[in-house]
Amino acid sequence: MLFRSRQFLLLMRGDEVTVPVVITVRPDGKAFRMETKVPVMVPETRRLAASQLVARLNARTERGHYDLDLDNGEVDFRIDCHAPGSVVDRRSFLVVLKMTLDPVLLDFRALESVFHREADPKAAIDALEAARSAARDAAARDAAARQRKVDIERE
């Protein structure tokens, strides 16, 4: 299936939140942009702290970047892509969709804590990194335990 339309709006619904994703495709079908809208607005009193957090998140993000509109408090995560062939295909869309949703979902706790709980941006990033490290360690322990079980069953 080929996508040659100009713009799509996806509403990605989760258990707790709906995340809008705007997809814009160039008319020639050779490039597109995906913008995942962060589903919380930044209050005017927290926009300086939010800009510090966005800058810190952008410094550690491999692909794409966060944008903060200081006038209205909207935050989105954006990736621009050029299609390797002549048109954008469904697989490319799905890969990039995942790449635009993951950072927002993974960083949501830090975004929300700075925007609405008056957390310090650096402390929010540090807490986020600590939680990710603990999750990676737990996953590694689980994988090792599963491998030990397989090894025991083989014997």
Side-chain angles (χ1 to χ4, degrees):
M1 179 176 185
L2 303 177
F3 296 108
R4 286 191 173 266
S5 298
R6 300 271 322 195
Q7 201 165 50
F8 301 94
L9 172 63
L10 298 176
L11 297 175
M12 306 299 292
R13 296 182 191 268
D15 292 338
E16 297 178 15
V17 69
T18 298
V19 179
V21 179
V22 176
I23 304 166
T24 306
V25 180
R26 276 192 358 201
D28 63 6
K30 294 183 180 182
F32 63 96
R33 168 181 290 171
M34 285 197 187
E35 297 173 85
T36 299
K37 305 293 184 184
V38 175
V40 292
M41 299 292 284
V42 182
E44 197 168 329
T45 58
R46 297 298 299 159
R47 292 188 185 156
L48 177 59
S51 65
Q52 292 171 353
L53 177 66
V54 164
R56 290 180 184 278
L57 289 171
N58 283 338
R60 59 186 272 290
T61 301
E62 292 180 28
R63 291 177 202 90
H65 65 278
Y66 284 94
D67 289 318
L68 167 64
D69 186 326
L70 291 172
D71 293 328
N72 63 17
E74 290 182 359
V75 178
D76 63 291
F77 185 81
R78 177 171 54 129
I79 294 180
D80 293 307
C81 295
H82 294 277
S86 61
V87 293
V88 176
D89 63 21
R90 180 176 22 183
R91 183 175 174 349
S92 299
F93 260 63
L94 294 176
V95 169
V96 177
L97 178 60
K98 181 180 180 339
M99 290 168 46
T100 60
L101 286 171
D102 282 350
V104 173
L105 298 175
L106 293 171
D107 298 337
F108 189 78
R109 182 177 295 154
L111 293 163
E112 196 269 338
S113 68
V114 170
F115 297 175
H116 295 287
R117 295 190 186 145
E118 300 195 12
D120 175 66
K122 184 175 181 334
I125 294 283
D126 292 344
L128 192 64
E129 289 301 327
R132 284 187 186 167
S133 179
R136 279 191 301 270
D137 292 347
R141 282 192 305 274
D142 290 346
R146 283 192 304 274
Q147 184 61 46
R148 280 192 301 275
K149 184 177 178 181
V150 167
D151 291 344
I152 290 170
E153 289 173 357
R154 285 184 186 165
E155 294 175 358

